[in-house]
Amino acid sequence: MKLSLLVGSPPSSGPLVEAHRKMRAPRAVAMLMAGALAVALVPLIPGVSTRLEVSLHDTARAMGLFAIVSFSAAGVFWRRGATPTYWWLCALETLTTALSLLSLVWASGNPLSPFWLLFVCLCLIVAVDANGRIIEGLAFVVAPQVLALLFLLEGEPAKAGISAVIGGVVVVLGTVLRGLFVGLTEARNERDRLRAELAELRLREERHRISRDLHDGLGTELASLTWTARTLHQRLEGSPVQGEVGHLLERLRSGMDELRTVVWALRVPARPWEDVVVRLSQRCRELGGDRDVVVDASAADPRAELDGQVSLDLVRAVQELVHNAARHARPRCIRVTLRCEPDGIRFRVEDDGRGLADGALERSEGGLKNFRARVEGAGGTTQVESSPRGTRVSAWLPTPTFRPDISMQ
């Protein structure tokens, strides 16, 4: 019972189509037909027919026409979906509804007939419809004027004037109500937007606090321990325990690097793609040592930004692979390929080392196992290929990349 005619190409999906899918559900259509039947049978109630000044023939004809058009629109939607034909049937349905209700006013000959109440209610329902458009109200502007014209042609200018005035009042009420509804909707949307911005600011502030505490607290402690371990390692030169202290020093340095990566990811809620590439290139070259490490990076949108957590997952995953290759494969060259696409990030780390031993992937308790758990835990996929000529590890990491809104900056 609402006009859904669109300007231009009608939509085949979206909120408007979803609203119509609910409206055209079998249960909703059955309730609509039951309402039309109830209106059609109103004259059978003792005394009502005299008060309304209409007969069963009048109501049955008006509601029957509406039911035919409405059920046809529902049938087209069930069979074909939101096609252009369906949208035209929706327009015809709304016009038929308005004319059917006012035809009962005409049949009664009473310009103040109670059937105006149904017409007003329907007009107000369309006015507050969230998916409503200006064109939806045209039927409620045209129908009263058609009724007034009929009364005028019958030589009853008083009834024509009353019908025109009532129709004008209905249009004004609908317009005012629509304006109030749109204003309330915009105010609600603005409130939700401000709440989201406030939540984002609070989250950003908390991330800054955590990163600052990690840097100034744990970072300072690790730096102090690293310095102590380095001094002790130098003093124990030639001692049997120097190797163990060296291993401890290496673990402390690794912990410091991991802490710096976490702090880097926490400082801002989103990182530009270029920043992520620079960070990864630096870490890969540090982990590769004296090996030739090549980083090849590209993005479908150079202005894309990555969520802080995604940036952290990516850096950790890639550096785990590079560290694993440099430590175990003894390669001469490690190549890292990064591709930032609209649906996620594809990356590959390949080396020309000695490859994985048979069953090494299944037996892994460290690097590769941690890498796979990290990527798959984030919803990504991994693939490992190895031969005596080297190892190639490919992965895809889903990520909500977005382009900065230039107009708001």
Side-chain angles (χ1 to χ4, degrees), residues 101-102 104-106 108 110-123 140 143-145 147-148 151 159 162-168 170:
L101 291 175
L102 293 188
L104 297 177
V105 179
W106 165 257
S108 69
N110 179 12
L112 298 176
S113 171
F115 286 109
W116 274 108
L117 294 176
L118 289 177
F119 182 84
V120 172
C121 290
L122 186 61
C123 178
F140 300 96
Q145 307 313 314
L147 178 63
F151 276 128
K159 292 182 179 180
I162 293 174
S163 298
V165 169
I166 294 177
V170 171

Side-chain angles (χ1 to χ4, degrees), residues 18 35 37 59 65 83 100 124 136 162 174 184 193 209 213 220 224 238 271 289 293 308 361 392 404-405:
E18 289 302 315
L37 181 62
T59 56
L65 179 60
T83 62
S100 296
L124 297 183
E136 292 177 332
I162 293 174
L184 288 174
R193 186 186 67 81
R209 185 190 65 80
D213 291 346
T220 302
S224 177
R271 285 281 181 184
V293 179
L361 190 60
R392 173 187 295 178
D405 189 351

Side-chain angles (χ1 to χ4, degrees), residues 326-369:
R327 182 178 181 184
H328 300 292
R330 299 178 183 174
R332 290 172 298 176
C333 178
I334 300 175
R335 185 175 187 84
V336 180
T337 306
L338 304 166
R339 298 287 182 266
C340 181
E341 301 174 353
D343 64 336
I345 301 174
R346 301 185 185 279
F347 60 94
R348 182 173 65 246
V349 177
E350 47 192 332
D351 64 70
D352 57 359
R354 59 185 180 180
L356 297 174
D358 293 339
L361 190 60
E362 291 73 18
R363 296 193 305 269
S364 174
E365 294 293 336
L368 285 177
K369 183 178 180 180

Side-chain angles (χ1 to χ4, degrees), residues 204-221:
R204 188 177 303 182
E205 183 180 349
E206 184 66 12
R207 290 167 67 102
H208 273 294
R209 185 190 65 80
I210 294 174
S211 66
R212 185 172 58 249
D213 291 346
L214 286 174
H215 182 272
D216 297 342
L218 184 58
T220 302
E221 289 296 324

Side-chain angles (χ1 to χ4, degrees), residues 38-360:
V39 174
L41 298 179
V42 159
L44 295 179
I45 303 175
V48 172
S49 178
T50 304
R51 287 178 177 273
L52 295 179
E53 303 177 86
V54 293
S55 65
L56 178 63
H57 175 74
D58 296 325
T59 56
R61 180 178 56 190
M63 292 298 100
L65 179 60
F66 158 72
I68 290 173
V69 176
S70 182
F71 197 79
S72 298
V76 170
F77 188 83
W78 291 341
R79 291 175 61 87
R80 301 180 182 178
T83 62
T85 301
Y86 169 73
W87 295 116
W88 281 110
L89 280 174
C90 285
L92 181 61
E93 178 187 17
T94 304
L95 182 61
T96 301
T97 303
L99 292 176
S100 296
L101 291 175
L102 293 188
S103 72
L104 297 177
V105 179
W106 165 257
S108 69
N110 179 12
L112 298 176
S113 171
F115 286 109
W116 274 108
L117 294 176
L118 289 177
F119 182 84
V120 172
C121 290
L122 186 61
C123 178
L124 297 183
I125 289 173
V126 170
V128 300
D129 184 5
N131 296 306
R133 298 172 183 268
I134 294 177
I135 197 170
E136 292 177 332
L138 289 181
F140 300 96
V141 176
V142 172
Q145 307 313 314
V146 172
L147 178 63
L149 180 61
L150 290 175
F151 276 128
L152 188 61
L153 293 176
E154 285 289 314
E156 300 184 76
K159 292 182 179 180
I162 293 174
S163 298
V165 169
I166 294 177
V169 171
V170 171
V171 171
V172 171
L173 284 176
T175 303
V176 171
L177 191 61
R178 179 66 180 177
L180 291 174
F181 178 78
V182 170
L184 288 174
T185 302
E186 291 177 351
R188 189 183 304 113
N189 292 339
E190 180 66 11
R191 180 199 63 190
D192 294 341
R193 186 186 67 81
L194 291 175
R195 284 181 175 176
E197 286 188 1
L198 180 60
E200 178 64 26
L201 288 174
R202 288 175 175 172
L203 177 61
R204 188 177 303 182
E205 183 180 349
E206 184 66 12
R207 290 167 67 102
H208 273 294
R209 185 190 65 80
I210 294 174
S211 66
R212 185 172 58 249
D213 291 346
L214 286 174
H215 182 272
D216 297 342
L218 184 58
T220 302
E221 289 296 324
L222 282 176
S224 177
L225 287 174
T226 302
W227 179 261
T228 302
R230 184 186 298 115
T231 303
L232 184 60
H233 183 263
Q234 293 173 351
R235 290 180 177 178
L236 292 175
E237 186 174 357
S239 171
V241 297
Q242 186 184 26
E244 297 181 12
V245 175
H247 180 67
L248 174 62
L249 179 59
E250 187 64 28
R251 294 290 299 274
L252 285 171
R253 287 172 176 166
S254 177
M256 282 290 294
D257 290 337
E258 176 66 12
L259 180 63
R260 291 193 187 101
T261 300
V262 172
V263 170
W264 170 82
L266 284 174
R267 286 194 184 278
V268 294
R271 285 281 181 184
W273 170 247
E274 291 85 353
D275 286 3
V276 176
V277 171
V278 169
R279 178 71 182 184
L280 263 174
S281 300
Q282 177 185 348
R283 290 292 297 133
C284 289
R285 292 188 177 97
E286 289 174 355
L287 293 169
D290 57 353
R291 297 163 185 83
D292 184 17
V293 179
V294 179
V295 178
D296 178 19
S298 64
D301 181 358
R303 295 180 295 172
E305 293 191 353
L306 304 182
D307 177 79
Q309 183 60 48
V310 174
S311 302
L312 180 60
D313 288 339
L314 177 63
V315 172
R316 280 177 163 175
V318 174
Q319 73 180 21
E320 187 71 47
L321 292 176
V322 173
H323 179 261
N324 199 64
R327 182 178 181 184
H328 300 292
R330 299 178 183 174
R332 290 172 298 176
C333 178
I334 300 175
R335 185 175 187 84
V336 180
T337 306
L338 304 166
R339 298 287 182 266
C340 181
E341 301 174 353
D343 64 336
I345 301 174
R346 301 185 185 279
F347 60 94
R348 182 173 65 246
V349 177
E350 47 192 332
D351 64 70
D352 57 359
R354 59 185 180 180
L356 297 174
D358 293 339

